[in-house]
Amino acid sequence: RPSRQPVQERGRAQLQTLAMGVKGAKRHLKRINAPKHWMLDKMGGVWAPKPSAGPHKTRECVPLIVLLRNRLKYALTYQEAKMIVKQRLVSVDGKPRTEMRYPAGFMDVVSLEKTNEHFRMLYDVRGRFAIHRIQAEEAKYKLCKVKAVELGPKKVPYIVTHDGRTIRYPDPSIDKNDVVKFDIETGKITDFFKFDVGNVAMVVGGKNSGRVGVITTRERHPGSFEIIHIKDANGHTFATRMSYVFVIGKGNRPFVSLPKSRGIKLTIVENMSRKKA
């Protein structure tokens, strides 16, 4: 028999059920909400691959399936990308990754064993990930920004890097915001670059994402964001937050090869004249 419970009470019970909410993390991602730098076509379906939990944030990474299928074109479909990674053919920072949603982020080295190719994840001047092809020699190391310097149990010093690594017994002169050169094979720090005026850096967030230049000044604002002024190779000066600045070398010399644009953002007029030339 149909329930004779008053309509108001039934509505109240439904609202209470809705108020309980869902449990756990969202396991789906709609294509319209996917990060714009993935450059997925809007009409290509309803869903997008949601990156699995890993060392990089959802909106600051590219899942391996997007890398293989949409960028490198080694797979035509979802299933093909899945078969490639399940055969342990794709390595990120020297470790084979069998999860096709594994997040590859800034400075990660993606290696394809069968084709003997290596790529470094960098930004272009429009803030999108550039899958930058590198030589095997350069693929042996990566740069990691220091997020925290701490003391662990039994007063063991360690640093935490931007890609989720914990490295014990670092050089005592390494501070927060410095960058370490990390040997992927041995897991050791081979060199480090101080966050100082005069060093070359890349911007990894904000409006100037992907631009490269030399740090000229550092404005301290207690209680607010510290502002860093950077001058690029064309002499243009711009400013950004300190948290967006990633040192990539000593002096004018970067320790990683840069994408085609070399981190120099052209004006609209310069872009048009270059296309006409």
Side-chain angles (χ1 to χ4, degrees), residues 145 195 201-202 215 228 230 240-247:
K145 184 175 180 178
F195 190 91
M202 178 179 271
I215 300 171
I228 305 298
I230 298 173
T240 188
R241 291 181 185 178
M242 188 172 75
S243 58
Y244 293 160
V245 179
F246 192 111
V247 178

Side-chain angles (χ1 to χ4, degrees), residues 38 40 49 62-92 97-102 104 110-113 115 117 119 121 131:
W38 291 4
L40 300 178
V62 177
L64 293 183
I65 179 175
V66 174
L67 206 68
L68 292 170
R69 183 184 62 185
N70 300 73
R71 294 298 190 84
L72 300 176
K73 310 290 186 186
Y74 280 133
L76 292 174
T77 62
Y78 175 98
Q79 282 298 329
E80 284 184 12
K82 189 174 183 178
M83 286 189 282
I84 290 171
V85 296
K86 289 297 182 186
Q87 293 177 73
R88 303 173 70 84
L89 299 177
V90 182
S91 298
V92 180
R97 298 295 178 181
T98 57
E99 172 54 66
M100 64 178 176
R101 295 185 184 86
Y102 184 84
V110 180
S111 303
L112 304 176
E113 185 185 342
T115 57
E117 289 178 307
F119 304 92
M121 305 291 290
I131 318 301

Side-chain angles (χ1 to χ4, degrees), residues 197-269:
V197 171
N199 284 344
V200 64
M202 178 179 271
V203 180
V204 296
K207 198 173 88 173
N208 294 302
S209 186
R211 297 182 73 174
V212 175
V214 175
I215 300 171
T216 54
T217 52
R218 175 177 175 177
E219 290 180 16
R220 298 179 190 271
H221 299 280
S224 184
F225 299 106
E226 291 195 21
I227 303 300
I228 305 298
H229 292 264
I230 298 173
K231 189 175 186 179
D232 67 14
N234 282 0
H236 299 300
T237 305
F238 57 95
T240 188
R241 291 181 185 178
M242 188 172 75
S243 58
Y244 293 160
V245 179
F246 192 111
V247 178
I248 58 172
K250 293 178 181 175
N252 291 324
R253 180 185 165 224
F255 274 65
V256 291
S257 58
L258 298 173
K260 187 179 177 182
S261 61
R262 308 289 298 172
I264 298 168
K265 191 172 188 177
L266 301 176
T267 62
I268 296 171
V269 177

Side-chain angles (χ1 to χ4, degrees), residues 19-260:
M20 289 169 65
V22 293
K23 293 181 180 179
K26 293 274 189 284
R27 298 187 63 185
H28 297 79
L29 177 67
K30 287 201 172 179
R31 185 161 288 212
I32 201 161
N33 294 327
K36 295 291 180 274
H37 61 76
W38 291 4
M39 294 186 291
L40 300 178
D41 50 332
K42 189 171 66 173
M43 306 301 288
V46 176
W47 304 102
K50 180 173 173 62
S52 59
H56 301 281
K57 296 178 182 178
T58 297
R59 310 201 74 82
E60 296 173 5
C61 72
V62 177
L64 293 183
I65 179 175
V66 174
L67 206 68
L68 292 170
R69 183 184 62 185
N70 300 73
R71 294 298 190 84
L72 300 176
K73 310 290 186 186
Y74 280 133
L76 292 174
T77 62
Y78 175 98
Q79 282 298 329
E80 284 184 12
K82 189 174 183 178
M83 286 189 282
I84 290 171
V85 296
K86 289 297 182 186
Q87 293 177 73
R88 303 173 70 84
L89 299 177
V90 182
S91 298
V92 180
D93 292 342
K95 291 187 179 180
R97 298 295 178 181
T98 57
E99 172 54 66
M100 64 178 176
R101 295 185 184 86
Y102 184 84
F106 184 66
M107 278 292 166
D108 284 356
V109 176
V110 180
S111 303
L112 304 176
E113 185 185 342
K114 282 287 179 83
T115 57
N116 198 26
E117 289 178 307
H118 307 277
F119 304 92
R120 191 183 300 282
M121 305 291 290
L122 297 172
Y123 288 110
D124 64 9
V125 290
R126 296 183 68 181
R128 306 171 302 194
F129 271 112
I131 318 301
H132 178 54
R133 192 184 300 267
I134 56 175
Q135 300 297 322
E137 193 62 34
E138 193 184 335
K140 292 179 180 176
Y141 66 88
K142 65 180 293 190
L143 303 184
C144 302
K145 184 175 180 178
V146 178
K147 288 289 187 181
V149 181
E150 304 286 349
L151 276 179
K154 298 184 180 178
K155 298 196 175 180
V156 173
Y158 68 91
I159 59 172
V160 180
T161 62
H162 81 283
D163 58 349
R165 295 178 191 274
T166 299
I167 306 171
R168 304 195 330 153
Y169 297 108
D171 190 298
S173 48
I174 294 175
D175 293 319
K176 186 180 176 182
N177 295 319
D178 292 349
V179 170
V180 297
K181 185 179 176 184
F182 180 78
D183 190 292
I184 291 171
E185 192 175 345
T186 61
K188 301 285 180 65
I189 296 171
T190 56
D191 200 358
F192 65 94
F193 317 123
K194 299 294 290 180
F195 190 91
D196 283 337
V197 171
N199 284 344
V200 64
M202 178 179 271
V203 180
V204 296
K207 198 173 88 173
N208 294 302
S209 186
R211 297 182 73 174
V212 175
V214 175
I215 300 171
T216 54
T217 52
R218 175 177 175 177
E219 290 180 16
R220 298 179 190 271
H221 299 280
S224 184
F225 299 106
E226 291 195 21
I227 303 300
I228 305 298
H229 292 264
I230 298 173
K231 189 175 186 179
D232 67 14
N234 282 0
H236 299 300
T237 305
F238 57 95
T240 188
R241 291 181 185 178
M242 188 172 75
S243 58
Y244 293 160
V245 179
F246 192 111
V247 178
I248 58 172
K250 293 178 181 175
N252 291 324
R253 180 185 165 224
F255 274 65
V256 291
S257 58
L258 298 173
K260 187 179 177 182

Side-chain angles (χ1 to χ4, degrees), residues 1-11 13-14:
R1 295 175 61 184
S3 171
R4 294 187 178 182
Q5 190 182 13
V7 176
Q8 287 182 343
E9 288 185 20
R10 274 184 291 176
Q14 288 172 354

